[in-house]
PDB file of all heavy atoms in Angstrom:
ATOM      1  N   LEU W 111      27.365 -32.032 -59.874  1.00 60.00           N
ATOM      2  CA  LEU W 111      26.333 -31.799 -58.969  1.00 60.00           C
ATOM      3  C   LEU W 111      26.351 -30.354 -58.524  1.00 60.00           C
ATOM      4  O   LEU W 111      27.319 -29.817 -58.175  1.00 60.00           O
ATOM      5  CB  LEU W 111      26.460 -32.776 -57.825  1.00 60.00           C
ATOM      6  CG  LEU W 111      26.375 -34.261 -58.008  1.00 60.00           C
ATOM      7  CD1 LEU W 111      26.686 -35.033 -56.837  1.00 60.00           C
ATOM      8  CD2 LEU W 111      25.088 -34.619 -58.734  1.00 60.00           C
ATOM      9  N   THR W 112      25.066 -29.957 -58.328  1.00 71.00           N
ATOM     10  CA  THR W 112      24.918 -28.514 -57.808  1.00 71.00           C
ATOM     11  C   THR W 112      25.183 -28.479 -56.279  1.00 71.00           C
ATOM     12  O   THR W 112      25.278 -29.610 -55.649  1.00 71.00           O
ATOM     13  CB  THR W 112      23.498 -27.959 -58.066  1.00 71.00           C
ATOM     14  OG1 THR W 112      22.552 -28.844 -57.430  1.00 71.00           O
ATOM     15  CG2 THR W 112      23.316 -27.956 -59.643  1.00 71.00           C
ATOM     16  N   THR W 113      25.196 -27.415 -55.608  1.00 72.00           N
ATOM     17  CA  THR W 113      25.344 -27.347 -54.241  1.00 72.00           C
ATOM     18  C   THR W 113      24.201 -27.848 -53.498  1.00 72.00           C
ATOM     19  O   THR W 113      24.387 -28.622 -52.460  1.00 72.00           O
ATOM     20  CB  THR W 113      25.621 -25.827 -53.741  1.00 72.00           C
ATOM     21  OG1 THR W 113      26.607 -25.318 -54.545  1.00 72.00           O
ATOM     22  CG2 THR W 113      25.912 -25.711 -52.267  1.00 72.00           C
ATOM     23  N   GLU W 114      22.903 -27.686 -53.907  1.00 73.00           N
ATOM     24  CA  GLU W 114      21.761 -28.223 -53.260  1.00 73.00           C
ATOM     25  C   GLU W 114      21.774 -29.811 -53.299  1.00 73.00           C
ATOM     26  O   GLU W 114      21.533 -30.397 -52.283  1.00 73.00           O
ATOM     27  CB  GLU W 114      20.507 -27.570 -53.811  1.00 73.00           C
ATOM     28  CG  GLU W 114      20.420 -26.196 -53.628  1.00 73.00           C
ATOM     29  CD  GLU W 114      18.938 -25.729 -54.149  1.00 73.00           C
ATOM     30  OE1 GLU W 114      18.352 -26.552 -54.774  1.00 73.00           O
ATOM     31  OE2 GLU W 114      18.696 -24.473 -53.976  1.00 73.00           O
ATOM     32  N   GLU W 115      22.083 -30.374 -54.521  1.00 75.00           N
ATOM     33  CA  GLU W 115      22.056 -31.798 -54.665  1.00 75.00           C
ATOM     34  C   GLU W 115      23.232 -32.350 -53.871  1.00 75.00           C
ATOM     35  O   GLU W 115      22.950 -33.400 -53.138  1.00 75.00           O
ATOM     36  CB  GLU W 115      22.325 -32.034 -56.070  1.00 75.00           C
ATOM     37  CG  GLU W 115      21.125 -31.729 -57.017  1.00 75.00           C
ATOM     38  CD  GLU W 115      21.410 -31.994 -58.482  1.00 75.00           C
ATOM     39  OE1 GLU W 115      22.642 -32.261 -58.806  1.00 75.00           O
ATOM     40  OE2 GLU W 115      20.446 -31.906 -59.327  1.00 75.00           O
ATOM     41  N   LEU W 116      24.371 -31.754 -53.819  1.00 69.00           N
ATOM     42  CA  LEU W 116      25.507 -32.249 -52.927  1.00 69.00           C
ATOM     43  C   LEU W 116      25.092 -32.287 -51.405  1.00 69.00           C
ATOM     44  O   LEU W 116      25.333 -33.299 -50.693  1.00 69.00           O
ATOM     45  CB  LEU W 116      26.698 -31.415 -53.233  1.00 69.00           C
ATOM     46  CG  LEU W 116      27.966 -31.888 -52.374  1.00 69.00           C
ATOM     47  CD1 LEU W 116      28.325 -33.333 -52.760  1.00 69.00           C
ATOM     48  CD2 LEU W 116      29.140 -30.895 -52.541  1.00 69.00           C
ATOM     49  N   ALA W 117      24.358 -31.257 -50.952  1.00 72.00           N
ATOM     50  CA  ALA W 117      23.908 -31.041 -49.620  1.00 72.00           C
ATOM     51  C   ALA W 117      22.820 -32.143 -49.230  1.00 72.00           C
ATOM     52  O   ALA W 117      23.000 -32.741 -48.275  1.00 72.00           O
ATOM     53  CB  ALA W 117      23.363 -29.690 -49.320  1.00 72.00           C
ATOM     54  N   ARG W 118      21.947 -32.364 -50.175  1.00 77.00           N
ATOM     55  CA  ARG W 118      20.908 -33.385 -49.962  1.00 77.00           C
ATOM     56  C   ARG W 118      21.513 -34.825 -49.860  1.00 77.00           C
ATOM     57  O   ARG W 118      21.183 -35.611 -49.045  1.00 77.00           O
ATOM     58  CB  ARG W 118      19.892 -33.419 -51.086  1.00 77.00           C
ATOM     59  CG  ARG W 118      19.085 -32.212 -51.099  1.00 77.00           C
ATOM     60  CD  ARG W 118      18.194 -32.105 -52.442  1.00 77.00           C
ATOM     61  NE  ARG W 118      17.413 -30.914 -52.522  1.00 77.00           N
ATOM     62  CZ  ARG W 118      16.818 -30.544 -53.594  1.00 77.00           C
ATOM     63  NH1 ARG W 118      16.765 -31.303 -54.650  1.00 77.00           N
ATOM     64  NH2 ARG W 118      16.172 -29.379 -53.594  1.00 77.00           N
ATOM     65  N   THR W 119      22.538 -35.119 -50.815  1.00 76.00           N
ATOM     66  CA  THR W 119      23.239 -36.384 -50.767  1.00 76.00           C
ATOM     67  C   THR W 119      23.991 -36.581 -49.433  1.00 76.00           C
ATOM     68  O   THR W 119      23.841 -37.632 -48.868  1.00 76.00           O
ATOM     69  CB  THR W 119      24.232 -36.465 -51.899  1.00 76.00           C
ATOM     70  OG1 THR W 119      23.613 -36.266 -53.126  1.00 76.00           O
ATOM     71  CG2 THR W 119      24.806 -37.783 -51.981  1.00 76.00           C
ATOM     72  N   VAL W 120      24.634 -35.553 -48.941  1.00 69.00           N
ATOM     73  CA  VAL W 120      25.438 -35.624 -47.662  1.00 69.00           C
ATOM     74  C   VAL W 120      24.408 -35.833 -46.528  1.00 69.00           C
ATOM     75  O   VAL W 120      24.537 -36.756 -45.560  1.00 69.00           O
ATOM     76  CB  VAL W 120      26.152 -34.477 -47.484  1.00 69.00           C
ATOM     77  CG1 VAL W 120      26.821 -34.487 -46.079  1.00 69.00           C
ATOM     78  CG2 VAL W 120      27.349 -34.351 -48.472  1.00 69.00           C
ATOM     79  N   ALA W 121      23.349 -35.088 -46.540  1.00 74.00           N
ATOM     80  CA  ALA W 121      22.290 -35.251 -45.500  1.00 74.00           C
ATOM     81  C   ALA W 121      21.620 -36.602 -45.444  1.00 74.00           C
ATOM     82  O   ALA W 121      21.380 -37.202 -44.382  1.00 74.00           O
ATOM     83  CB  ALA W 121      21.250 -34.154 -45.597  1.00 74.00           C
TER      84      ALA W 121
END
Side-chain angles (χ1 to χ4, degrees):
L111 298 177
T112 62
T113 305
E114 292 184 1
E115 293 175 346
L116 182 60
R118 292 172 187 171
T119 304
V120 173

